[in-house]
Amino acid sequence: MATPTGHTGWATADNWATQRPYITTLWDENRTLKDIMQIMQDNHQFYATVRMYKARFQKWGIEKKIKAEEAVEIFRQQTARAAAGKPTVAYIRGRRIDPDRLQRYRYRAAPLVSKKIMRAEKGSSEEAEETKLSKTSQVICRTPSPSPSPDTTDSNLSISPRLEEPTELRIPHECMQILGNFVNGAFDGGLWQMASEGERAEMNGAFTWQHYVASSQGLIRHGRVNEGFSLLGMCFDQYKQQLQRPDSMFWLATYKCAMVLASQNNKLGDAFLDYASKLTSVVLPSGHPFNQLWSRVMVTGMRGIKDHAGAIFESYLDMWGRHVNSTETNTTNDVQGAFVFIQLHCTGLLSYNLLETVIQAMISGNAISQEAAEFLLQEAKFRLALSCLGKRRFKKAETVTREILEWLSSQPPVAYADLRCKAAWLMFEVKDRKGTQAEALKAGHELLKLSQDIYGPTHIQTLEAMSAVESYCRRIGATKGAEQMGRDFESRWRIFRGMADARKNFPEQIHQPWYYRSIELGERVEYVQETVDLFERCLKISDDTP
């Protein structure tokens, strides 16, 4: 057997012994064998064949897959321990199982296994009996350090008292547990239902409320301060309605709202937290999960939300995804869910590993169609263009925008109206940032016409577009045009506000999370680019599959 060119030999027994801790760590991170081999070659000049790795893994007791009955038992024990306030680390055959690996297992599990896990978490006696019959003696769940070494299994060993977790670690852990129980109960009790083909999704309330919060900030940025705060006040008023009939994205929308407002002004974020927590205590019983959540969130305040949002979002979406994954419906809910995953990853609040696992599973399992995946790719490109604009990479932003417009030109004229409007926003902003006044004015008027044609003259989308073009006209000294547009805006705003007052609600419901054309929280170009690359790769694999 030939060794790699330029190297004298394959890994020896001593080499394997030396590198074992690092190799097993890479495996616990859920790396593929191909990735591990490449990393070991590039970084450690460690050379071995696939057969060598597999033989060594067998000798070390490393299993390629977590067995279904072992996963069920781990999640059963984790839930029972969490209910008693105990954090958990899991071991199979003496080896610690990385929590991310368990989380990814849930997304890749077959629907039957997912249902078994959920039954086990709810304490199903049937599931417990099945577990007793299986070989789960190799599964051990225990409290993290300073517990004894995982290699020690003597139950008579004296265990030192567990140190109290610091508040900044305890709070998010407790929040995740409360949210877990609430999500499971809401789905199992029929409060939330996944929409079937052609039906509305059950997440519209959160999307609508979140959209108007973001729009209020857009109006303020464009100089319409009074109208922006008026709309924000309407959003605060509508939070009560959201509390009484929360949908499955409500708590994420609450967290995002606090972060969006704090990104503009810390006092605004704090004011929302104070208002929302006090309103919840008035509207809902003291024992309601939302009151339990607020009692913990207010301990750490805005700082805690910023620090722990990623962990909370990832845990919440993991639970939400399990229920979606265990149903037969796949339509609008899955596309909306995928978009939320994309949005949160681009802001750095969701790991790439989880995003990749979810998107690959959705596309390969046909939970989202090829057409829907193409649409989500364009939405990711939209975010890439906006992020590039923020970094003053105007050429890249314009190139990506033209790619979106080219794709739209190949679709039916009435399809993807929201994306068409957002692409028009992009082109207007590109021309504005590049300083080409004539082209920017033309793009601005095209945006206004498109917004009115799609949404109507008094829709919040059209009003915000008007505020943006009006602001631009004032900046370049086109005073006459700006004043006329300002008068038009104010007359339309009065109609908008009158409809809201008459309905005691928002004038329009927002049915999709991709409605809003701006980035509400900061997004990093590299995160958005890897999202675009992920969709392009998945779509290529899908095309190549017979």
Side-chain angles (χ1 to χ4, degrees), residues 70 73 91 93 131-132 134-140 153:
E70 292 169 341
E73 175 64 10
Y91 300 89
R93 288 172 290 282
T131 303
K132 286 179 184 177
S134 63
K135 297 179 179 179
T136 54
S137 58
Q138 297 297 322
V139 173
I140 298 174
T153 57

Side-chain angles (χ1 to χ4, degrees), residues 168 171-172 175 251-252 254-273 294 296-314 344 347-350 520-522:
E168 62 269 19
I171 293 295
C175 287
W251 193 256
L252 264 65
T254 297
Y255 252 61
K256 278 190 67 180
C257 174
M259 295 176 71
V260 167
L261 295 177
S263 70
Q264 305 298 320
N265 185 299
N266 282 329
K267 290 183 178 178
L268 204 54
D270 291 336
F272 172 71
L273 291 185
W294 279 120
R296 287 155 176 81
V297 169
M298 295 306 287
V299 171
T300 55
M302 200 65 235
R303 177 186 57 79
I305 283 185
K306 291 176 180 177
D307 289 345
H308 306 313
I312 297 292
F313 285 174
E314 190 151 330
L344 293 178
T347 59
L349 295 174
L350 201 71
E520 302 154 73
L521 296 169

Side-chain angles (χ1 to χ4, degrees), residues 51-263:
R51 182 172 292 182
M52 289 177 181
Y53 271 98
K54 288 184 176 179
R56 192 62 57 166
F57 283 1
Q58 185 176 13
K59 183 176 180 180
W60 290 345
I62 296 178
E63 298 288 336
K64 183 176 182 181
K65 294 181 180 179
I66 298 173
K67 297 174 183 177
E69 63 267 23
E70 292 169 341
V72 171
E73 175 64 10
I74 287 174
F75 288 116
R76 184 191 69 76
Q77 290 193 38
Q78 275 187 341
T79 302
R81 289 172 59 82
K86 299 178 182 178
T88 298
V89 289
Y91 300 89
I92 298 178
R93 288 172 290 282
R95 295 190 63 250
R96 186 180 186 275
I97 304 301
D98 187 90
D100 285 344
R101 186 179 176 196
L102 282 172
Q103 193 174 67
R104 286 188 282 273
Y105 178 92
R106 300 196 78 142
Y107 274 105
R108 290 174 175 159
L112 179 61
V113 177
S114 293
K115 289 177 182 177
K116 283 188 173 184
I117 290 172
M118 283 190 283
R119 286 201 301 268
E121 288 178 320
K122 287 185 290 184
S124 165
S125 57
E126 175 187 345
E127 209 60 51
E129 193 61 34
E130 287 184 18
T131 303
K132 286 179 184 177
L133 298 174
S134 63
K135 297 179 179 179
T136 54
S137 58
Q138 297 297 322
V139 173
I140 298 174
C141 291
R142 52 174 54 146
T143 302
S145 181
S147 299
S149 163
D151 294 323
T152 305
T153 57
D154 183 359
S155 60
N156 294 320
L157 185 67
S158 175
I159 301 177
S160 302
R162 182 166 62 89
L163 297 177
E164 184 66 28
E165 289 181 293
T167 300
E168 62 269 19
L169 296 180
R170 177 176 55 80
I171 293 295
H173 176 80
E174 291 177 355
C175 287
M176 284 185 267
Q177 181 60 33
I178 295 167
L179 281 170
N181 292 337
F182 178 71
V183 171
N184 290 333
F187 276 109
D188 295 340
L191 177 63
W192 298 336
Q193 297 292 332
M194 294 293 97
S196 301
E197 185 68 50
E199 295 180 354
R200 282 186 176 182
E202 50 73 41
M203 296 150 357
N204 296 343
F207 294 152
T208 297
W209 183 75
Q210 184 177 304
H211 173 82
Y212 281 102
V213 170
S215 294
S216 73
Q217 301 307 290
L219 291 174
I220 293 170
R221 281 196 302 273
H222 300 142
R224 285 290 172 179
V225 178
N226 290 338
E227 292 84 357
F229 277 102
S230 172
L231 182 57
L232 185 59
M234 191 191 308
C235 294
F236 274 45
D237 291 341
Q238 287 300 311
Y239 192 75
K240 179 178 179 180
Q241 185 176 0
Q242 294 295 308
L243 270 174
Q244 291 170 327
R245 295 194 63 186
D247 62 28
S248 67
M249 290 294 164
F250 167 76
W251 193 256
L252 264 65
T254 297
Y255 252 61
K256 278 190 67 180
C257 174
M259 295 176 71
V260 167
L261 295 177
S263 70

Side-chain angles (χ1 to χ4, degrees), residues 225-429:
V225 178
N226 290 338
E227 292 84 357
F229 277 102
S230 172
L231 182 57
L232 185 59
M234 191 191 308
C235 294
F236 274 45
D237 291 341
Q238 287 300 311
Y239 192 75
K240 179 178 179 180
Q241 185 176 0
Q242 294 295 308
L243 270 174
Q244 291 170 327
R245 295 194 63 186
D247 62 28
S248 67
M249 290 294 164
F250 167 76
W251 193 256
L252 264 65
T254 297
Y255 252 61
K256 278 190 67 180
C257 174
M259 295 176 71
V260 167
L261 295 177
S263 70
Q264 305 298 320
N265 185 299
N266 282 329
K267 290 183 178 178
L268 204 54
D270 291 336
F272 172 71
L273 291 185
D274 184 64
Y275 172 83
S277 61
K278 288 178 179 176
L279 181 64
T280 304
S281 69
V282 171
V283 172
L284 300 176
S286 59
H288 192 282
F290 290 167
N291 274 313
Q292 295 176 18
L293 285 164
W294 279 120
S295 70
R296 287 155 176 81
V297 169
M298 295 306 287
V299 171
T300 55
M302 200 65 235
R303 177 186 57 79
I305 283 185
K306 291 176 180 177
D307 289 345
H308 306 313
I312 297 292
F313 285 174
E314 190 151 330
S315 172
Y316 190 96
L317 287 172
D318 172 51
M319 292 178 285
W320 177 87
R322 280 182 246 145
H323 286 277
V324 175
N325 194 42
S326 67
T327 65
E328 298 299 324
T329 59
N330 50 32
T331 59
T332 308
N333 289 103
D334 298 294
V335 180
Q336 290 177 332
F339 182 85
V340 173
F341 275 79
I342 292 168
Q343 198 177 40
L344 293 178
H345 171 66
C346 291
T347 59
L349 295 174
L350 201 71
S351 70
Y352 179 76
N353 283 338
L354 182 56
L355 175 73
E356 181 182 40
T357 300
V358 171
I359 298 304
Q360 285 180 344
M362 283 184 162
I363 293 177
S364 63
N366 296 317
I368 54 178
S369 66
Q370 176 121 349
E371 180 185 357
E374 287 279 4
F375 163 69
L376 289 170
L377 169 60
Q378 305 309 314
E379 283 288 344
K381 285 185 174 182
F382 166 77
R383 309 189 86 76
L384 178 60
L386 265 183
S387 298
C388 288
L389 270 178
K391 296 292 184 181
R392 302 184 62 80
R393 294 168 58 179
F394 303 139
K395 185 176 180 180
K396 173 74 171 176
E398 186 168 8
T399 299
V400 175
T401 302
R402 294 194 183 283
E403 288 176 5
I404 298 170
L405 290 169
E406 183 180 353
W407 181 80
L408 285 168
S409 69
S410 68
Q411 305 301 312
V414 296
Y416 306 110
D418 299 327
L419 183 57
R420 291 179 191 278
C421 193
K422 292 198 296 187
W425 266 103
L426 271 177
M427 193 55 73
F428 168 58
E429 293 196 14

